[in-house]
Amino acid sequence: MTVGLKDGLKLLGIAVMSGCAVFVCTFFLNFYLDALAVRDAVSADLMPLYEAQLLTAKLVCAISGGCLLAVSVVLLAFYVKLYVDAHARQLGLLKAMGYSDLRIAVGFWVFGSSVLVGCAVGFGGGYAVSPLIYDAMGDGGLPEIPLTFHGELLALLVLLPAAAFSALAVLAALLRLRPSALSLMRGREAISGGGRAGSSDRPFLRELRAATLKSKKSLVFFVAFASFCFASMMQMSFSMRDYANEIMGAIIFCIGIVLAGTALILAFTSLAAANARTVAVMKAHGYTLAECGRAVLGGYRIPAYCGFAVGTAYQYGLMKLMIDTIFRDMPDVPAYRFETVVFLIVLAVFAVLFELAMGYFTLRMGKTSARVFAAE
């Protein structure tokens, strides 16, 4: 087998994304199904609140689950690309020995194991916190909604995604294995050239920054997505204090931290590993570590702050939609307004954390000496 089970279990990013999606969908879908069973016990005056809670559950599952599902698919394709690029010579040798693309690609089904683990953990965590969510959603005088285990949710949220992502991994591998055996055996070097320090250092650094962004387009997405998650989830968690239980805000806050941290660490770790040789050569030619960091990582500031801006607009639009649509028939529900103070605080925290992350990964890139590569 070209891909081992350990390779599949190493895909932490997919496990985290899928786990967060299933975590949210589990307690909301479970609440939705259990709430339907007590519909006849809801009085007429509480029916608007009851309908609002059901609509909230459906809307949150559709938006959060759908968004994280799409990101998980992109992440899966990214991991398959990394694996094929890293093992191109071995895979090319297998093709030269007569193995078909399909036979090799079938081994990539194990990438679905990370989804299985993530979904299983998310399902268990979502079911564990369901009593707290039931209490929060039941505020306002609704009848008591007993917690019931639904086996169909286990199949829908754990088994089906794992099978689907295994099939997607095989398909993605087939697409990546299209080059000839000779092309794969030659491998692909992603090395940027060095330069000489002097009067031409600024143009070279700008060129290197642009080349890094162009060659790592998928990482631009993950940096922007990390910023999107941080901006939207952080501001939403504080904005929900007037519309939901504190527990709901805390859950959104934690999910935002986990998603943003995972996406950013994934992107910067890949960048640091891919550019360690470039930074070592640049240092040997007289560039400072700070200049190397700005050239390799500095270009990602623009995608990061664009992602932050989109995340801010997204959370405002989503909260406005939910309050104006779902709770339009509810009395005493305050109108939702953009909170400038919260926005500025979250922006300041984001800026500090992003610069700290850039500094840390710049130091990681600078630990490798050019002599290590010269000895290879």
Side-chain angles (χ1 to χ4, degrees):
M1 181 182 293
T2 58
V3 186
L5 187 60
K6 291 183 178 180
D7 295 308
L9 294 176
K10 289 178 181 178
L11 308 187
L12 177 63
I14 296 180
V16 171
M17 298 290 178
S18 57
C20 288
V22 171
F23 175 76
V24 174
C25 291
T26 295
F27 55 71
F28 272 121
L29 289 178
N30 216 90
F31 173 83
Y32 180 82
L33 294 176
D34 288 342
L36 289 178
V38 301
R39 187 183 189 92
D40 294 338
V42 180
S43 60
D45 58 323
L46 290 177
M47 188 57 68
L49 174 61
Y50 173 80
E51 294 290 351
Q53 299 289 38
L54 292 183
L55 186 56
T56 299
K58 290 192 292 185
L59 187 61
V60 171
C61 286
I63 294 176
S64 62
C67 177
L68 292 176
L69 174 64
V71 173
S72 297
V73 171
V74 174
L75 194 56
L76 177 67
F78 174 73
Y79 274 126
V80 171
K81 177 183 181 298
L82 284 183
Y83 186 90
V84 172
D85 289 348
H87 299 81
R89 291 180 176 85
Q90 298 94 313
L91 296 173
L93 181 60
L94 288 176
K95 291 185 67 171
M97 293 171 61
Y99 285 76
S100 66
D101 289 354
L102 180 60
R103 185 176 178 183
I104 298 173
V106 166
F108 283 78
W109 72 267
V110 298
F111 279 23
S113 60
S114 61
V115 178
L116 178 63
V117 172
C119 290
V121 173
F123 184 84
Y127 194 78
V129 303
S130 289
L132 300 177
I133 303 301
Y134 278 44
D135 290 340
M137 299 286 283
D139 288 345
L142 290 176
E144 182 179 355
I145 301 175
L147 176 61
T148 306
F149 178 80
H150 298 276
E152 61 270 28
L153 290 182
L154 177 63
L156 177 66
L157 298 177
V158 179
L159 302 181
L160 182 60
F165 272 81
S166 292
L168 285 173
V170 173
L171 178 60
L174 273 174
L175 296 176
R176 297 298 305 175
L177 289 169
R178 286 183 299 177
S180 66
L182 183 59
S183 297
L184 289 172
M185 292 174 66
R186 285 175 177 171
R188 297 176 181 174
E189 295 296 331
I191 306 172
S192 302
R196 283 189 304 177
S199 60
S200 62
D201 58 344
R202 288 186 179 179
F204 165 72
L205 293 178
R206 285 199 297 267
E207 182 180 354
L208 177 60
R209 186 182 300 113
T212 303
L213 286 171
K214 184 177 180 180
S215 63
K216 301 293 181 181
K217 295 178 182 178
S218 58
L219 297 185
V220 173
F221 168 80
F222 289 116
V223 170
F225 178 74
S227 308
F228 172 89
C229 290
F230 188 90
S232 60
M233 296 293 191
M234 294 303 100
Q235 294 179 73
M236 192 180 297
S237 65
F238 289 107
S239 299
M240 290 187 67
R241 62 184 180 275
D242 295 328
Y243 307 101
N245 190 281
E246 291 82 0
I247 295 175
M248 193 72 69
I251 289 175
I252 293 176
F253 181 89
C254 293
I255 291 176
I257 292 293
V258 171
L259 289 177
T262 301
L264 190 63
I265 289 173
L266 167 68
F268 277 4
T269 298
S270 299
L271 279 170
N275 291 280
R277 184 194 297 259
T278 301
V279 171
V281 172
M282 289 176 65
K283 287 173 59 183
H285 283 76
Y287 289 98
T288 66
L289 185 57
E291 289 175 320
C292 297
R294 287 195 298 270
V296 174
L297 301 178
Y300 288 86
R301 283 194 181 93
I302 294 178
Y305 284 98
C306 287
F308 188 94
V310 173
T312 298
Y314 166 82
Q315 71 85 25
Y316 174 76
L318 179 60
M319 289 295 296
K320 188 73 173 174
L321 174 66
M322 292 181 64
I323 301 305
D324 293 347
T325 302
I326 299 177
F327 298 104
R328 63 180 182 274
D329 298 326
M330 298 297 300
D332 303 325
V333 176
Y336 181 72
R337 295 180 177 85
F338 184 78
E339 300 191 46
T340 305
V341 175
V342 172
F343 166 75
L344 293 176
I345 293 175
V346 174
L347 177 60
V349 173
F350 170 77
V352 171
L353 293 178
F354 188 78
E355 294 302 321
L356 287 175
M358 287 186 57
Y360 170 76
F361 283 99
T362 297
L363 291 175
R364 279 188 56 173
M365 288 189 297
K367 289 182 179 180
T368 306
S369 171
R371 287 180 297 216
V372 174
F373 298 107
E376 292 180 352

